[in-house]
Every structure is written in C-alpha cells, then in structure tokens.
Amino acid sequence: MKRVIEREFIGVVLLGPPGSGKGTQSKRIASWYGIPHISPGNILRDAVKARTSLGMKVQKAVQRGELVSDAVVCALREERLNEHDCNSGFVLDGFPRSIAQAVWLDVFLQERSLSSATRCGTALLVIQIELDEDQIFARLAGRRICQSCGAVYNLYAGPPVSSDLCDYDGNALIVREDDHPEVLHERLVEYTHRSLPVILYYKNEDRITSVQGSGTPEAISRRIFSKIKNQRWLRGAESRSGH
Ligand code: AMP
C-alpha cells in the first residue's frame, strides 16, 4: 500500500514529560510522512558536545536539566523552521516548553503563512503523551544512547544486541548526562512548572489531544497515528495499514 500521496501541511507537536517517548515517536512520524523531526534538545546537546558558542552559552542549563532561555530557543526554531524542508510540515519534539514559546510558535506560523507563496499552513496537531512519574523513572533508568550516532536503546524495552554496544556502529553506549537521577528530578520540576501550563494553553483553545504513553513503542505509535489520521488535513489521503 502507498504512503500518504496527497495532503496539506502536517504540523505535529509532541508534548510530554521526559521519558514519555517523544523522541522515538517523533522519528517515526517524521519518517512516515517525510517531514523533518525537529528537537531543540538534540540541537542543544550537540552544541554543548561540540563546544560551539551556542553550546558554551547553554551548557549549564542543559547539564542541570533547566530550560534554556526562550529567546535562544525561539531563535533556533525560527532558523530551522524557515528552512525549505519545513514548508510541508514538521514534527516538533520538546517545543514549545513554555507559554512564551507556544505564543511565539502561533505568531510565527501565522506570519509565515501570510507572507509565503508556498502552502505553509498554520494548523498544528498537538499531542500530549501521558506517563506517570513511576514509569518515567523506570524508563529513564534503562535508557542508553550511542554517543557517536545518537541511537537510543532501553535496556529493558529495546536492548542492543550486545549489551552496552551500539547495534549500528559498535561504539560504547552511555547514560545521557541529564538522565542521572538528580538532573532528572530537576527536569521534572521544570516540566511541571513551565511545560504543564503549555498543555493548559492548548487545552483552553481545544487544540490538544492526548494518548497514553505506557506500553511498547509500537503500541504508542498506533495510538498516535490514529490521531493523526483523524485530522481533517489527512482525510482522503492514503496510508499504509498497520498504524
Ligand atoms: P530534551 O532532550 O528534549 O529532554 O531536552 C534536553 C534539554 O535541552 C532540556 O533539559 C533543556 O535544558 C533543553 N531544552 C530542550 N528543549 C527546550 C525548550 N523548548 N526550551 C528550553 N530548553 C529546552
């Protein structure tokens, strides 16, 4: 069966606590619809690793699990979302994480659609992945990443073939710096204080839908894809069975 063959703009925002699977699910959506996966967390971590000027600026916040300033993150978003490959859509993973970022995104999309000759749209499908705190800690305790290629594993739910080595390039797997328990606690506090209001922002305008984040990645994907397929902008489009 064919992938989506006719569609309008697909703008998906995945929200949820650390460990809810936003990264994994974003990659799947992006690859299925052929749209870019945009994650400020990955960009910021890479910048810290490469010790660029941006990396030096945000290093402390990222290592402590605190949010980077709205100005820095929105400037990064603007640059990325203006790239040509975002004209037909994108999946935002970990953005917006504050009310200021959510308002910025709405204004940005409106202005872009007014000024653009392309089919850039403004409609977002905002999906909240719900997961309780016990499951978050259990899941992140098992998360391992490959420092060179970025592949993500879970020792319990999706382990590598050979323990502690990446299946793709054989490099050593490590615990992400901000997955250590003290930092994780800080990330959850930040999530509750700054990101939960974002969920309320979209709820007040009836622009958000939620899915349960428990179960296998495949089960969560099925829930998410069924929400996407129910969207007006995908009606009539063909999609492969199995999602
Ligand atoms: P993540 O991989 O999405 O959990 O992000 C890792 C870290 O990057 C966070 O703990 C923050 O320090 C920073 N970060 C990621 N996204 C944002 C955002 N939208 N606003 C501010 N800081 C962010």
Side-chain angles (χ1 to χ4, degrees), residues 41 44-45 62 66-68 73 94 97 101 176 178 187:
L44 294 170
R45 261 191 304 278
V62 172
E66 297 162 1
L67 290 190
V68 168
V73 177
R97 262 177 158 135
Q101 293 176 17
R176 221 172 86 172
D178 56 354
R187 288 166 71 202

Side-chain angles (χ1 to χ4, degrees), residues 18-19 22 39-42 44-45 58 60-70 73-74 77 93-98 101 143 176 178-179 183 187 190 194:
K22 297 185 298 291
S39 155
N42 289 346
L44 294 170
R45 261 191 304 278
V58 301
K60 277 197 187 129
V62 172
Q63 285 172 344
R64 289 180 186 157
E66 297 162 1
L67 290 190
V68 168
S69 79
D70 291 329
V73 177
C74 291
R77 290 320 58 214
D93 157 13
F95 184 92
R97 262 177 158 135
S98 68
Q101 293 176 17
R143 177 151 77 181
R176 221 172 86 172
D178 56 354
D179 278 350
V183 184
R187 288 166 71 202
E190 282 281 20
R194 305 249 333 250

Side-chain angles (χ1 to χ4, degrees), residues 121-136:
T122 57
L124 288 175
L125 173 60
V126 185
I127 303 176
Q128 175 193 10
I129 307 182
E130 293 180 305
L131 197 66
D132 63 44
E133 214 166 282
D134 288 349
Q135 291 190 70
I136 294 170

